Amino acid sequence: MQSSIPSPESYGELIRAAQNAPEQLEHLYQAARRAHRAGQFAQDINALYQESSENVLYAAWHYRLQQSTQEEWFSRIGSNWRLAILMSVLLGLILWGLSDPSLVINAIPYLAFIGAPIIALFLTSFFFIITRHNTARLATALLGLVGFTVYVLVMVSRLDAANDYLPLAFLHLVLLAWGTIAIYLAGWRFPTRDTFAFLLKSLEMLGTAGVYIIVGGIFVGLTYVMFEAIGVDLSSPIQRLLILGGGGLIPLVAVLSVYDPKGGLTQQEFRRGFARILMIGLHAILPLSLLILILFLLALPFNFFQAYDNRETLIVFNVLLFGILGLLIGAIPLTAGEFSLTYQKWLRLEVGALAGLVIVVSLYALSAILYRTAQDQLTMNRLTVIGWNSINIVLLGLLLYWIIRPGNRSWGEAAQKVFRPGAYAYLAWGGFLILALPILF
């Protein structure tokens, strides 16, 4: 009987069918554990408990899994902490050594261009050491990243220090380093659910790393104040060791805090611990973001040409648009049964409205950059922004289509389809810019 139970994307319907059969529900849970999907089972139980808290069986499983899932999580990742700490120390020492003031290229530290690729190398190597999976994929992805990094270093050495390519190369190398991790974990084909799961885990990891950075910043600040209080000035190497060496400890620790390398992307915990705090925060910000965008569009006609005349205003717009894309990713539900039907209805309305408003603002920003280009000339920065705006407008349009599609109760799962072509578009455009900008301009 146990072996006949499938391992679906969501256990919601199977749990409902077994709500009056405790033994069958137990078999379903054990099948989920064998498939390394106990986290998904727990999420679906929690969603059903939120809908029907009076159901005694749902309540019992809800409280049982709150404790057991946490224990399983820590038992799975506990054996990996020693490796994570060892590699983190090594990463910190490498970043500290590469931060030496003499290691510069065109008056810019080498670390600015090779820091993100090195971190990606350590993260993917950490995953590989634990799982021993996908050797060819890892080697190919890392070789590609190394190729782009070497190309950037060669181009930077030939350009003027004030050339616009330098900051653009830095930003897009970070994107490609992140893409290398995505390719290794999700695969070259970027399956829809794996890609969306990777994006959610990326948001969670960034939030966790931000907390660690704040704590580390406080520690470094207190260390500096303590030594200054007794008249000891910390030398530059010591300061760099505290900042960059300490910073090197963060990536692996932050990842292992929220990600189980032994499980697949879709088998992770997505709505517990810091992930739940992040979700609640993003959902709370959603209506506020809607209000701000509505007020912005109401004020826009009275200041319509501000972005057309002011370059800084246009830069702010584009940065905010990327931030709102992150908000949309975090707000989209994982499964149809994750929230109650009433909350799903309001969430769908808010996410759809936000996507529509962002499209309007993106079109305004695109028109402004096209106007400035027509009045002057095409530059590196303008080509970059035109490309990114165009990609985001298309993706937001597809996202809005899947959200407002009539009769689509699983709108959240449907909306996740957007991020597969989005991943291809982002990496392709980022790679193109790194290779083509120094040639075209």
Side-chain angles (χ1 to χ4, degrees):
M1 176 179 179
Q2 294 180 22
S3 60
S4 64
I5 297 175
S7 179
E9 295 290 345
S10 172
Y11 290 93
E13 294 303 323
L14 294 175
I15 294 172
R16 283 194 183 95
Q19 62 179 309
N20 296 318
E23 183 180 2
Q24 184 179 348
L25 193 57
E26 178 65 31
H27 289 319
L28 182 61
Y29 172 63
Q30 295 303 329
R33 289 188 62 187
R34 289 193 298 275
H36 304 290
R37 295 183 56 80
Q40 181 64 55
F41 183 92
Q43 291 169 22
D44 294 335
I45 279 285
N46 182 62
L48 291 171
Y49 171 70
Q50 298 300 327
E51 289 182 11
S52 307
S53 58
E54 71 282 355
N55 187 304
V56 177
L57 189 60
Y58 291 165
W61 274 93
H62 167 74
Y63 289 109
R64 169 188 171 182
L65 292 176
Q66 272 191 328
Q67 181 65 28
S68 63
T69 303
Q70 292 179 0
E71 291 175 353
E72 289 179 6
W73 169 264
F74 286 111
S75 65
R76 287 198 305 270
I77 68 171
S79 59
N80 301 323
W81 276 110
R82 183 177 298 176
L83 175 63
I85 295 300
L86 178 62
M87 293 185 67
S88 294
V89 171
L90 179 59
L91 174 59
L93 292 174
I94 290 175
L95 295 180
W96 171 59
L98 292 173
S99 67
D100 188 286
S102 64
L103 298 177
V104 296
I105 179 172
N106 207 344
I108 299 175
Y110 274 99
L111 191 59
F113 299 106
I114 64 176
I118 288 175
I119 292 173
L121 169 63
F122 268 77
L123 288 175
T124 52
S125 298
F126 174 71
F127 298 142
F128 176 75
I129 291 172
I130 293 174
T131 63
R132 305 290 180 178
H133 290 165
N134 304 312
T135 306
R137 185 197 300 170
L138 173 63
T140 306
L142 287 178
L143 282 174
L145 180 60
V146 170
F148 277 104
T149 304
V150 171
Y151 180 86
V152 166
L153 293 176
V154 172
M155 290 297 108
V156 168
S157 66
R158 298 176 178 178
L159 299 174
D160 184 83
N163 195 289
D164 289 337
Y165 179 71
L166 275 62
L168 293 175
F170 161 73
L171 291 173
H172 290 92
L173 269 180
V174 173
L175 170 65
L176 293 187
W178 174 74
T180 299
I181 302 171
I183 288 170
Y184 178 62
L185 294 179
W188 294 100
R189 295 185 177 183
F190 288 116
T192 296
R193 285 188 62 81
D194 283 0
T195 302
F196 187 70
F198 176 79
L199 293 173
L200 283 180
K201 277 298 168 185
S202 296
L203 288 176
E204 187 181 354
M205 187 276 290
L206 288 173
T208 304
V211 173
Y212 290 155
I213 289 172
I214 292 172
V215 174
I218 294 173
F219 171 78
V220 171
L222 288 175
T223 300
Y224 185 82
V225 170
M226 287 175 59
F227 280 92
E228 188 180 51
I230 59 174
V232 176
D233 291 328
L234 297 179
S235 63
S236 176
I238 298 299
Q239 293 181 27
R240 289 188 289 108
L241 178 61
L242 287 172
I243 297 172
L244 291 169
L249 301 175
I250 293 175
L252 282 161
V253 173
V255 167
L256 192 55
S257 298
V258 300
Y259 184 81
D260 176 13
K262 294 181 179 179
L265 282 165
T266 58
Q267 298 165 4
Q268 302 297 316
E269 299 284 351
F270 289 100
R271 298 310 190 203
R272 292 181 180 274
F274 185 78
R276 184 168 182 81
I277 296 173
L278 181 64
M279 180 196 69
I280 293 172
L282 292 176
H283 282 212
I285 292 174
L286 192 57
L288 181 60
S289 300
L290 272 173
L291 177 61
I292 291 174
L293 281 177
I294 291 171
L295 293 175
F296 170 79
L297 291 175
L298 290 175
L300 183 59
F302 303 99
N303 302 273
F304 189 81
F305 290 100
Q306 186 67 27
Y308 286 70
D309 300 328
N310 193 321
R311 180 173 178 267
E312 286 70 25
T313 301
L314 197 55
I315 293 174
V316 170
F317 278 168
N318 285 282
V319 172
L320 290 177
L321 290 176
F322 277 101
I324 293 176
L325 282 173
L327 172 60
L328 288 171
I329 292 171
I332 293 173
L334 280 165
T335 62
E338 185 174 6
F339 306 109
S340 67
L341 293 178
T342 302
Y343 188 78
Q344 285 264 23
K345 177 182 177 181
W346 284 105
L347 183 61
R348 181 179 186 178
L349 180 63
E350 290 178 346
V351 172
L354 184 62
L357 292 174
V358 174
I359 290 174
V360 175
V361 177
S362 297
L363 288 171
Y364 167 69
L366 181 59
S367 69
I369 192 65
L370 290 175
Y371 170 81
R372 291 175 63 86
T373 302
Q375 292 295 109
D376 187 12
Q377 62 179 341
L378 185 65
T379 64
M380 287 188 184
N381 289 324
R382 288 169 182 167
L383 176 61
T384 300
V385 173
I386 289 171
W388 282 121
N389 271 13
S390 301
I391 291 172
N392 288 335
I393 289 170
V394 172
L395 294 177
L396 286 166
L398 292 172
L399 181 66
L400 185 59
Y401 166 77
W402 286 112
I403 291 174
I404 66 176
R405 191 179 181 187
N408 187 7
R409 182 175 179 270
S410 302
W411 64 272
E413 296 176 46
Q416 296 171 22
K417 298 176 182 179
V418 174
F419 300 105
R420 182 171 183 259
Y424 284 120
Y426 266 52
L427 293 181
W429 184 243
F432 170 79
L433 290 173
I434 284 179
L435 296 176
L437 286 180
I439 298 174
L440 296 176
F441 299 93

